[in-house]
């Protein structure tokens, strides 16, 4: 059992180091590189839904604030300081908490949020519940809720006429 425990610890450390490497690369990547990534239609629709919810809240409650300031406040509220990864990251729980705090927790499912994070972020490799543990960097979150990202991806996933 001690060998199994050591093997599990080593496996966990390897998964964490892969996630750290992935997030550091994504955090260092310019926003336009992240925006060029092609996502599934389902993910794009979920991001659009999230943006609509946030924009609706912004227009009602942050009308006097610049949109970028609002976006940064949302990212800050959704960001957790992961002790395991030793980086700032946004988890599904962080996004869920923000939606709940603005009275929109019922408008987006946990699976929609996890779908976004699994396609855009970093997930532990070899974990049976890897989609539940995916995270994105603060910069990726800011990029996802920006108008530039929305405009870019909305056009990419439209059916060809």
């Amino acid at each position: 059992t001690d060998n199994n425990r050591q093997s599990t610890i080593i496996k966990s450390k390897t998964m964490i180091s892969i996630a750290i490497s992935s997030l550091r690369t994504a955090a260092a990547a310019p926003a336009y590189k992240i925006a060029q990534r092609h996502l599934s239609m389902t993910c794009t629709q979920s991001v659009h839904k999230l943006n609509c919810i946030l924009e609706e809240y912004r227009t009602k409650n942050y009308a006097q604030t610049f949109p970028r300031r609002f976006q940064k406040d949302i990212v800050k509220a959704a960001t957790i300081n992961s002790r395991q990864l030793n980086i700032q990251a946004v988890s599904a729980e962080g996004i869920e908490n923000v939606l709940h705090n603005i009275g929109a927790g019922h408008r987006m499912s946990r699976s929609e949020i996890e779908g976004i994070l699994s396609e855009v972020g970093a997930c532990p490799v070899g974990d049976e519940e890897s989609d539940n543990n995916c995270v994105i960097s603060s910069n990726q979150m800011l990029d996802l809720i920006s108008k530039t990202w929305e405009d870019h991806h909305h056009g990419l996933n439209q059916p060809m006429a």
Side-chain angles (χ1 to χ4, degrees):
T1 52
D2 282 343
N3 286 340
N4 288 344
R5 197 173 300 154
Q6 280 184 323
S7 175
T8 302
I9 291 170
I10 291 170
K11 185 178 176 183
S12 294
K13 286 182 180 181
T14 302
M15 289 187 303
I16 290 171
S17 67
I18 290 169
I20 289 170
S21 174
S22 218
L23 280 173
R24 285 188 180 141
T25 301
Y32 69 87
K33 284 193 176 183
I34 295 168
Q36 290 175 349
R37 184 180 213 172
H38 294 280
L39 303 175
S40 72
M41 181 65 100
T42 303
C43 181
T44 302
Q45 290 170 342
S46 295
V47 171
H48 179 73
K49 184 176 183 178
L50 177 62
N51 282 326
C52 287
I53 293 167
L54 294 175
E55 182 59 20
E56 182 181 306
Y57 180 79
R58 186 193 71 78
T59 56
K60 288 180 183 175
N61 300 286
Y62 276 71
Q64 300 299 316
T65 305
F66 288 113
R68 192 66 170 179
R69 174 78 264 143
F70 169 75
Q71 292 164 354
K72 287 181 179 182
D73 287 348
I74 291 295
V75 171
K76 184 176 180 181
T79 301
I80 57 163
N81 189 7
S82 173
R83 289 187 189 108
Q84 286 182 328
L85 301 178
N86 200 25
I87 58 168
Q88 295 268 310
V90 177
S91 66
E93 185 178 0
I95 295 171
E96 247 183 358
N97 286 338
V98 166
L99 293 175
H100 176 74
N101 289 342
I102 65 172
H106 63 283
R107 293 183 54 190
M108 190 162 201
S109 71
R110 176 73 178 232
S111 64
E112 290 173 306
I113 296 168
E114 289 173 351
I116 294 169
L117 298 181
S118 68
E119 283 198 41
V120 176
C123 304
V125 178
D127 187 354
E128 292 174 6
E129 299 179 11
S130 63
D131 283 355
N132 299 335
N133 299 320
C134 300
V135 293
I136 59 175
S137 70
S138 298
N139 288 339
Q140 284 175 305
M141 177 69 178
L142 190 58
D143 186 44
L144 280 177
I145 64 173
S146 74
K147 188 70 174 148
T148 306
W149 187 93
E150 178 93 354
D151 290 343
H152 176 75
H153 277 81
H154 187 67
L156 286 178
N157 288 323
Q158 293 301 309
M160 297 296 257

